[in-house]
Amino acid sequence: MQRGLSPEDEQFRSEMREFFTTAIPQDIRDKVAAGTELSKEDFERSHRIMHEAGLAVPHWPAEWGGKNWSDLQRYIYLDEMQLANVPAPLAFNANMIGPVIATFGSQTMKERFLPPTASLDIWWCQGFSEPESGSDLASLRTTAVLDGDEYVVNGQKTWTTLGQHADWIFALVRTNPAAERQQQGISMLLIPMDAPGVTLRPIQLIDGGHEVNEVFFDNVRVPADQLVGEENRGWDYAKFLLGNERVGVAPTGWIKRKLAAAKEYAAAVASGDGHLIDDPVIAARIAELECDLIALELTVLRVAANSHGGKPDPASSILKLRGSELQQDVLEFIADIAGPSSLSWDLEAESAIADWAHNATPVYLNFRKASIYGGSNEVQRQVISTGILGLKG
Amino acid sequence: MNFEFTEDQIALRDAAREAISRHRTEPVPGTAPHDGELWKALAELGGLGLPFPEEAGGMGAGPVEAMVVALELGRAGVRTAYSETLTAAAMLGDDELFGAAVEGSRVVVPALFEPMRAWSPTPVDVRADGDALTGVREPVPYAAAAPAVVTTAATADGVGIFAIDNPTFTGARLDLAGVSARRVDGDEVLVQRAINLGTLLLSAEALGAMESALHLTVEYLKSRKQFGVPLMKFQTLTQRAADMYTSLELARSAVYYLAMTLAIRPDDAIGVSRTKVIVGKSGRHIGQEAIQLHGGIGMTAEYAVGHHTARLTEIEHTYGDTRYHLSRLARGVSEYGGLDLVS
Ligand SMILES: Cc1cc2nc3c(=O)[nH]c(=O)nc-3n(C[C@H](O)[C@H](O)[C@H](O)COP(=O)(O)OP(=O)(O)OC[C@H]3O[C@@H](n4cnc5c(N)ncnc54)[C@H](O)[C@@H]3O)c2cc1C
């Protein structure tokens, strides 16, 4: 047992801090800090700067741009990125389809897709969920039927995050309806969003924003060489995609940054003769959230060190569960700090109210999603109770 | 940053586990008496001197090793003056009782509580004029084992530490008027440092108790049948067991980290408070749910799970509860911005 960083890791940390706080444009970082929605162009600028510095996909295999970092280094990288209010490289690219293609794709597929995926020349979206298939994803109904050397795809995906910006979608489709188990009849296909027969319809969310969509497939013809890996193995790839990362599951740097900001906010909002931060109930809530965060972050550091070489791991369920809960707790707290100043959601140049306060309620509402997507918290508890505790329900 | 035990630490854990299982394997109810046999066995292992330097008569290991032993005691649910001895020894400086405490020839406990007064490490109604003490300490842990005592008192020059060789108790009460005490070198910094160590050890014991409470609960959900099926078929129960597991692992991270922290920064008061809060919250959660998920059997003295909850409750109320530590932390939150755990 040993506390603290080695001199090399300290050095690594200061390099990361230097990079994220100087190379990424301030206007983007200010937007992230205030919780203002980013444009497509913001994401692209930030992603490309990281890519040019070799920092967009450091966890990929080395031949495709990876860095062979230790888990601790990966943690430091993510922590510094989040502390600096830098938007993460697009998750659909960097954390989802990239690692899947790098692990299961053919050499041709890797050469075709990995470089533009790393550089964000392809913007990916994730086509897993369907109207009737959420937590029970394996029940999905979108079909793909081989016709010559093309698959013909019919069906509907939903909740497709940032599909409106996407060039391609990686979709789970049913290729063998007769398989003994549902899971064994699913494949993963790569489909261009501008293919004939693909249509996209926006879904507005409770924060008033447009970040998710419905995607419809009507006799969409997809060349068979855009099948990832083997036919009917898509479920394994999806499980890999959802469970291969431990270090990044809980956004502890983000939460830390928000909690530090919450203190600044509480010190800025007047209350009586002083400020909210002088209220012992507010101070105690900060202290408690800090304790909760410390417990989570230390757990990230502790379990990351024992990661199982990329295999899905039930321990990452604790991190997803607590990470989303704490994210939500901190945003709820910030909305409470903003109080009546949060009642107008519109950012206005002449406003005496800070952007963070205008944004506080929509951001709070938006992040109710964190305990729903990527395996809801109830599903995470199920993984813990069956996978770790051996309680077979 | 490394949370793994070394081989030596694992060997120590196994030795402690083995010593405990030779002496007593069942948790004991209520405010149990000091288990002198087990305490001697721990002394033979060198367990009582672990965090103290060899030149002083200790084992020259550290708080991590002492934590390893405390964790095993908590897991087994046994009661012996382990954290008490180490906390007392840490206050004794070069007093002659130190050697007796760490080699296990004398039970020495800290007397730090004042009756009907909320926890404070600073003595209020216990005062000293020279070596003459006044005031009352109550409850003194394991008083029935006739221990020697280390206590603190307000003196003309700040907090003083006093050793008392053969005090007479009334139950767990120690009236200090007229007892023969001698002043030990050291001030409130040393007292706080000892309490920090004591808090770590109690937190480790709590972690062990949480581990066992969850283990018992999981086994019970697998074996107990109602409505013709094992309880684990009911998701309302398994989801709660999953939350208990999460609480346990959060507490584990905090306890291990505090041990590593105290090894390099024995005066880290903020670290101690944060750990006590994390352990306090986890302990409440796990202790209460463990009883609830057992149903009636969880209420019985015959069955272990409730005794773990009792121990967790005692630990919550020792050296400051969650409320105490939260308000201590709250007073300082404006003095820094973000957290930094790794450097
Ligand atoms: C903002 C947002 C963005 C998203 N982005 C994407 C995306 O880009 N791509 C994509 O494919 N999907 C995306 N999703 C979809 C997301 O993965 C699903 O919402 C999620 O899997 C839950 O499915 P559902 O919404 O159908 O809820 P349901 O599965 O219908 O669940 C309803 C409730 O029942 C609970 N529940 C369900 N099953 C169980 C069970 N077995 N035991 C106990 N409780 C259970 C759930 O936890 C939940 O509380 C997104 C969702 C949101 C909200």
Side-chain angles (χ1 to χ4, degrees):
Chain A
M1 283 204 174
Q2 183 80 52
R3 188 191 144 129
L5 295 181
S6 67
E8 300 77 56
D9 287 332
E10 277 292 357
Q11 171 64 23
F12 177 81
R13 176 153 87 155
S14 44
E15 284 164 21
M16 289 298 126
R17 184 165 297 182
E18 168 79 14
F19 173 77
F20 287 122
T21 54
T22 57
I24 308 295
Q26 188 67 39
D27 62 304
I28 297 179
R29 303 201 294 122
D30 286 345
K31 273 192 180 176
V32 171
T36 303
E37 216 177 296
L38 296 182
S39 67
K40 181 179 190 192
E41 193 266 329
D42 291 331
F43 278 114
E44 287 172 340
R45 265 197 296 157
S46 175
H47 186 118
R48 287 187 180 138
I49 293 168
M50 277 189 256
H51 178 64
E52 274 151 32
L55 293 175
V57 293
H59 53 301
W60 286 16
E63 57 171 322
W64 301 108
K67 295 275 199 190
N68 284 326
W69 285 342
S70 65
D71 283 326
L72 183 58
Q73 286 174 317
R74 171 134 183 87
Y75 157 85
I76 292 169
Y77 156 86
L78 290 169
D79 197 48
E80 291 300 329
M81 182 194 303
Q82 293 168 13
L83 287 174
N85 289 310
V86 171
L90 192 67
F92 307 111
N93 290 39
N95 301 342
M96 296 188 188
I97 195 61
V100 167
I101 293 177
T103 310
F104 304 106
S106 65
Q107 185 62 22
T108 321
M109 179 173 272
K110 290 178 191 173
E111 284 165 13
R112 177 171 172 201
F113 286 106
L114 287 179
T117 298
S119 63
L120 197 56
D121 288 323
I122 294 177
W123 182 302
W124 288 97
C125 65
Q126 179 190 18
F128 283 16
S129 305
E130 299 182 2
E132 299 302 323
S133 302
S135 302
D136 183 14
L137 185 58
S139 70
L140 62 90
R141 298 177 185 175
T142 297
T143 55
V145 179
L146 199 57
D147 177 24
D149 55 5
E150 287 176 332
Y151 286 97
V152 181
V153 179
N154 280 289
Q156 184 197 341
K157 296 293 171 182
T158 190
W159 306 119
T160 317
T161 298
L162 300 182
Q164 70 269 36
H165 301 330
D167 307 303
W168 285 73
I169 185 168
F170 51 94
L172 291 181
V173 292
R174 187 158 301 286
T175 37
N176 180 8
E180 201 174 311
R181 292 177 64 237
Q182 287 181 325
Q183 287 82 348
Q184 292 163 343
I186 295 171
S187 300
M188 192 183 284
L189 281 184
L190 309 180
I191 309 174
M193 291 295 281
D194 60 3
V198 177
T199 44
L200 179 121
R201 200 154 70 196
I203 302 174
Q204 198 176 35
L205 293 183
I206 49 176
D207 61 353
H210 168 209
E211 70 180 53
V212 295
N213 305 271
E214 296 177 289
V215 180
F216 300 86
F217 301 91
D218 180 14
N219 285 314
V220 178
R221 300 193 75 85
V222 180
D225 65 358
Q226 284 160 215
L227 172 79
V228 177
E230 293 168 41
E231 199 179 68
N232 297 324
R233 293 281 312 278
W235 187 253
D236 296 338
Y237 310 152
K239 277 205 319 203
F240 169 87
L241 177 153
L242 294 170
N244 78 87
E245 163 136 290
R246 261 178 159 185
V247 182
V249 170
T252 48
W254 184 99
I255 299 169
K256 218 184 300 177
R257 178 73 209 100
K258 284 283 175 219
L259 200 44
K263 287 190 199 179
E264 292 161 22
Y265 302 159
V269 173
S271 174
D273 296 334
H275 293 91
L276 268 186
I277 189 91
D278 310 321
D279 180 334
V281 177
I282 291 280
R285 183 68 184 136
I286 293 172
E288 185 174 20
L289 287 167
E290 287 186 344
C291 290
D292 291 346
L293 171 59
I294 285 166
L296 173 65
E297 187 174 5
L298 291 172
T299 305
V300 171
L301 285 162
R302 183 164 65 84
V303 305
N306 301 327
S307 68
H308 292 186
K311 289 211 194 69
D313 187 330
S316 57
S317 287
I318 314 176
L319 308 180
K320 172 67 172 45
L321 186 60
R322 280 306 288 156
S324 58
E325 287 177 343
L326 206 45
Q327 223 175 349
Q328 294 175 337
D329 288 347
V330 172
L331 293 175
E332 173 189 316
F333 183 54
I334 289 176
D336 291 347
I337 290 170
S341 298
S342 72
L343 294 175
S344 153
W345 297 8
D346 300 323
L347 299 184
E348 281 159 38
E350 296 301 303
S351 175
I353 291 172
D355 286 1
W356 70 264
H358 283 296
N359 288 332
T361 300
V363 172
Y364 156 68
L365 291 172
N366 181 278
F367 273 88
R368 301 314 299 172
K369 71 189 175 187
S371 50
I372 297 173
Y373 64 30
S376 74
N377 283 9
E378 289 71 27
V379 169
Q380 302 300 338
R381 291 188 182 95
Q382 181 91 354
V383 173
I384 293 168
S385 64
T386 56
I388 297 178
L389 301 179
L391 295 168
K392 309 290 180 207
Chain B
M1 214 62 186
N2 174 4
F3 285 82
E4 304 261 300
F5 291 126
T6 62
E7 268 173 39
D8 285 352
Q9 288 159 353
I10 291 172
L12 174 66
R13 180 194 67 191
D14 294 347
R17 197 173 284 181
E18 147 66 22
I20 292 165
S21 67
R22 258 188 288 122
H23 286 272
R24 194 195 290 275
T25 50
E26 277 303 299
V28 280
T31 46
H34 167 66
D35 184 332
E37 287 300 307
L38 175 57
W39 188 74
K40 282 203 194 95
L42 293 176
E44 278 161 26
L45 278 177
L48 303 178
L50 281 170
F52 305 109
E54 274 167 302
E55 350 28 300
M59 295 293 290
V64 175
E65 285 73 15
M67 169 195 76
V68 166
V69 174
L71 182 51
E72 292 308 313
L73 292 168
R75 200 198 304 256
V78 291
R79 303 295 175 82
T80 193
Y82 185 71
S83 81
E84 289 78 7
T85 300
L86 273 67
T87 307
M91 280 195 285
L92 277 168
D94 57 4
D95 189 86
E96 66 206 50
L97 264 183
F98 176 85
V102 299
E103 70 194 35
S105 56
R106 189 84 172 82
V107 180
V108 188
V109 300
L112 296 173
F113 309 126
E114 295 190 46
M116 295 307 286
R117 176 174 286 286
W119 165 250
S120 164
T122 313
V124 181
D125 293 325
V126 176
R127 296 198 186 84
D129 185 3
D131 278 351
L133 301 179
T134 54
V136 174
R137 289 297 189 182
E138 185 182 3
V140 177
Y142 300 119
V149 154
V150 189
T151 194
T152 61
T155 74
D157 53 347
V159 173
I161 304 173
F162 296 84
I164 306 170
D165 274 320
N166 288 300
T168 311
F169 300 95
T170 318
R173 173 183 156 95
L174 174 57
D175 191 338
L176 293 164
V179 302
S180 140
R182 62 177 177 277
R183 186 147 182 189
V184 175
D185 239 1
D187 55 10
E188 58 198 328
V189 175
L190 189 65
V191 173
Q192 189 58 58
R193 189 177 284 196
I195 292 170
N196 290 352
L197 176 67
T199 307
L200 166 69
L201 300 178
L202 289 176
S203 298
E205 218 182 306
L207 179 62
M210 287 183 233
E211 236 176 63
S212 290
L214 175 61
H215 177 73
L216 288 168
T217 305
V218 166
E219 292 310 308
Y220 197 71
L221 293 179
K222 289 178 185 169
S223 58
R224 165 80 171 169
K225 283 192 178 162
Q226 284 294 282
F227 301 98
V229 292
L231 291 176
M232 69 177 167
K233 293 285 171 199
F234 300 115
Q235 206 190 36
T236 190
L237 304 180
T238 57
Q239 293 258 311
R240 285 158 71 177
D243 282 335
M244 291 165 74
Y245 177 76
T246 302
S247 283
L248 171 70
E249 291 306 308
L250 296 172
R252 183 187 310 285
S253 306
V255 171
Y256 289 7
Y257 181 71
L258 179 61
M260 294 190 266
T261 301
L262 292 184
I264 52 175
R265 299 211 294 256
D267 301 317
D268 193 328
I270 291 186
V272 168
S273 282
R274 285 175 176 158
T275 305
K276 195 69 169 48
V277 169
I278 294 165
V279 168
K281 286 175 63 170
S282 287
R284 274 275 153 88
H285 175 215
I286 293 172
Q288 292 175 352
E289 288 287 76
I291 293 178
Q292 181 65 23
L293 268 52
H294 274 85
I297 191 81
M299 296 295 297
T300 59
E302 217 176 284
Y303 193 77
V305 80
H307 305 318
H308 288 300
T309 305
R311 184 64 182 137
L312 287 167
T313 308
E314 281 184 356
I315 291 172
E316 165 70 0
H317 294 144
T318 304
Y319 304 147
D321 60 6
T322 300
R323 190 273 319 156
Y324 169 88
H325 287 285
L326 266 184
S327 57
R328 187 159 94 160
L329 291 168
R331 286 191 291 274
V333 288
S334 329
E335 284 158 28
Y336 55 88
L339 301 170
D340 177 7
L341 304 182
V342 293
S343 47

